Amino acid sequence: MSPPVAPVGWSRWLVPPAALSIHLSIGQAYAWSVFKPPLEEALGLSGTQSALPFQLGIVMLGLSAAFGGTLVERRGPRWAMTVALVCFSSGFLLSALGAATQQFWLIVLGYGFVGGIGLGIGYISPVSTLIKWFPDRPGMATGIAIMGFGGGALIASPWSAQMLEYFGGDTSGIALAFLVHGLAYAVFMLLGVVLVRVPRPRAEERADGRTATPDGPQVSARRALRTPQFWLLWVVLCMNVTAGIGILEKAAPMITDFFADTSTPVSVTASAGFVALLSAANMAGRIGWSSASDLIGRKNIYRVYLGAGTLMYALIALVGSSSKPLFVLCALVVLSFYGGGFATIPAYLKDLFGTYQVGAIHGRLLTAWSTAGVLGPLIVNWIADRQEEAGKHGSELYGTSLLIMMALLAVGFVANELVRPVHPSHHLDAVTAQKGAPRARRQRAESA
């Protein structure tokens, strides 16, 4: 499937909606918690077991993005979006079969493994295309698309809950809900497949007759892995995501615990509203902070994410339990930084490595997300369980976790400060020259 080239006069503003149709769909992953209680009751699962499909999905997101990134660059966005559509929808259909037959391993295989591949390929599918369409505002462009992934749960959560209420929370009702999800998302993602286009090739010719090349440094995905800049950004993304997902995954019980011993405890309804607010902050941060990075620069915006994020965690740890508005405000800021970090990283990669294989480089960098997706919840949940066993309660359950998150953000801040422009020896023209030098020497020797 060859990449569809935009005809003359094609509006570049049609590309972000194409990307949004994919990201709003795969963003359903953040709404998995809606299915946890009915699955646990219907299949007799523990909380740890019911989390397996989501955890495997996040792991497969990072792995499929890493290993499929180069193929996505080569085949183009339409191919990638088609693969994402098939895998993500098939994952739901397999899960429906698993629920209907009461085979939980099929749900793990479908939603986690097959659907997770769709998550990874779908997540990176529009990135390099958007950057090429919006070279003047890459942060804003990728923020629009990746905003959809953060906001997908705002649509999926109430929709899934209503379906489970209508169909029932038994295995047949869960199976029907999975089936409707798979079919509906297939239709919605098809809009992106049909709409997406790549820019027309540059027609300008240089004075020496060769085709003009993109401005700035251009580094291949393979060479990028050999640079310290790639691994520094890997640390930056991993630390930022770990800190954010630590709150996101434990949001409802965390706010309940923090104010359980006060005169104004948090109700179940209020904790659910808090989760919705965090999702909104996550989504708003993806477009707001990434657009701001076009104005103040990528390194500066990550200084804000990591530096101010450390301050927010410190405020939660020190005085969060004494002020509910302050706790909520700090958590919202942290989650906006979490979302902004995801949306800004493609533009940061473009600044350092160019547009040549930025999608493939981005895919490899998302292994940091896979790591953080395991690390963040593990830190918060394991420490909270140990503290509870020790007889502690309320905000005391999270004090150590918050200190660890502050330390991780500090590590990310230092890594960001160490980022420098990529050495010219890694640029494509330098690599080509190095490969051509032995051939030139042989030719001179033969002529002599």
Side-chain angles (χ1 to χ4, degrees), residues 171-191:
T171 52
S172 61
I174 296 170
L176 283 172
F178 280 147
L179 178 63
V180 173
H181 275 72
L183 297 177
Y185 281 129
V187 173
F188 192 60
M189 294 171 78
L190 187 61
L191 295 174

Side-chain angles (χ1 to χ4, degrees), residues 167-256:
F167 294 134
D170 57 1
T171 52
S172 61
I174 296 170
L176 283 172
F178 280 147
L179 178 63
V180 173
H181 275 72
L183 297 177
Y185 281 129
V187 173
F188 192 60
M189 294 171 78
L190 187 61
L191 295 174
V193 174
V194 173
L195 269 180
V196 73
R197 298 288 189 278
V198 296
R200 296 176 64 81
R202 294 178 64 179
E204 300 89 358
E205 298 291 322
R206 295 195 330 198
D208 58 8
R210 289 184 290 165
T211 303
T213 56
D215 297 329
Q218 301 297 318
V219 182
S220 69
R222 179 175 297 182
R223 297 291 298 190
L225 289 176
R226 303 179 187 178
T227 66
Q229 286 82 358
F230 176 88
W231 295 107
L232 288 170
L233 288 188
W234 192 98
V235 171
V236 167
L237 182 63
C238 186
M239 298 302 100
N240 191 59
V241 173
T242 300
I245 209 169
I247 281 187
L248 187 62
E249 191 271 342
K250 194 78 170 177
M254 181 180 284
I255 192 171
T256 302

Side-chain angles (χ1 to χ4, degrees), residues 269-292:
T269 303
S271 65
F274 175 62
V275 173
L277 281 176
L278 292 182
S279 295
N282 179 10
M283 181 174 64
R286 292 176 186 240
I287 181 62
W289 292 119
S290 61
S291 296

Side-chain angles (χ1 to χ4, degrees), residues 11 35 43 165 215 313 317-318 325:
S11 173
F35 288 101
L43 298 178
E165 184 178 348
D215 297 329
Y313 267 118
L318 294 173

Side-chain angles (χ1 to χ4, degrees), residues 233-395:
L233 288 188
W234 192 98
V235 171
V236 167
L237 182 63
C238 186
M239 298 302 100
N240 191 59
V241 173
T242 300
I245 209 169
I247 281 187
L248 187 62
E249 191 271 342
K250 194 78 170 177
M254 181 180 284
I255 192 171
T256 302
D257 290 336
F258 253 79
F259 299 98
D261 299 329
T262 67
S263 58
T264 55
V266 177
S267 66
V268 174
T269 303
S271 65
F274 175 62
V275 173
L277 281 176
L278 292 182
S279 295
N282 179 10
M283 181 174 64
R286 292 176 186 240
I287 181 62
W289 292 119
S290 61
S291 296
S293 76
D294 289 333
L295 302 175
I296 69 174
R298 259 48 93 170
K299 177 175 260 189
N300 286 332
I301 203 69
Y302 270 96
R303 284 171 174 151
V304 174
Y305 297 157
L306 300 161
T310 304
L311 176 61
M312 295 299 106
Y313 267 118
L315 288 173
I316 292 174
L318 294 173
V319 294
S321 60
S322 63
S323 173
K324 196 178 297 181
L326 179 64
F327 178 93
V328 172
L329 177 62
C330 290
L332 291 177
V333 173
V334 168
L335 261 294
S336 76
F337 293 160
Y338 168 81
F342 277 122
T344 310
I345 204 69
Y348 208 161
L349 292 172
K350 178 258 181 187
D351 293 346
L352 291 170
F353 301 107
T355 59
Y356 173 57
Q357 288 188 331
V358 68
I361 299 170
H362 183 220
R364 286 158 171 78
L365 196 76
L366 288 182
T367 54
W369 187 1
S370 295
T371 303
V374 175
L375 189 61
L378 180 64
I379 290 172
V380 176
N381 287 292
W382 186 84
I383 292 177
D385 290 343
R386 300 292 79 77
Q387 298 287 58
E388 189 172 10
E389 291 173 1
K392 296 184 178 180
H393 54 86
S395 60

Side-chain angles (χ1 to χ4, degrees), residues 3-15:
V5 179
V8 176
W10 180 267
S11 173
R12 65 178 184 171
W13 291 102
L14 291 174
V15 181

Side-chain angles (χ1 to χ4, degrees), residues 66-159:
F67 289 104
T70 302
L71 197 58
V72 169
E73 285 287 310
R74 187 181 306 129
R75 297 290 185 88
R78 176 168 287 179
W79 176 88
M81 289 179 177
T82 302
V83 170
L85 184 159
V86 171
C87 290
F88 191 65
S89 296
S90 297
F92 272 112
L93 299 183
L94 276 173
S95 298
L97 178 62
T101 58
Q102 299 186 23
Q103 298 293 318
F104 182 61
W105 69 269
L106 270 176
I107 299 176
V108 176
L109 175 67
Y111 191 93
F113 185 80
V114 178
I117 294 173
L119 287 178
I121 299 299
Y123 191 87
I124 64 173
S125 61
V127 169
S128 63
T129 303
L130 284 165
I131 288 176
K132 290 170 184 174
W133 274 110
F134 293 88
D136 52 332
R137 286 179 282 182
M140 180 213 68
T142 55
I144 289 175
I146 294 176
M147 172 185 69
F149 192 88
L154 291 178
I155 299 172
S157 292
W159 182 47

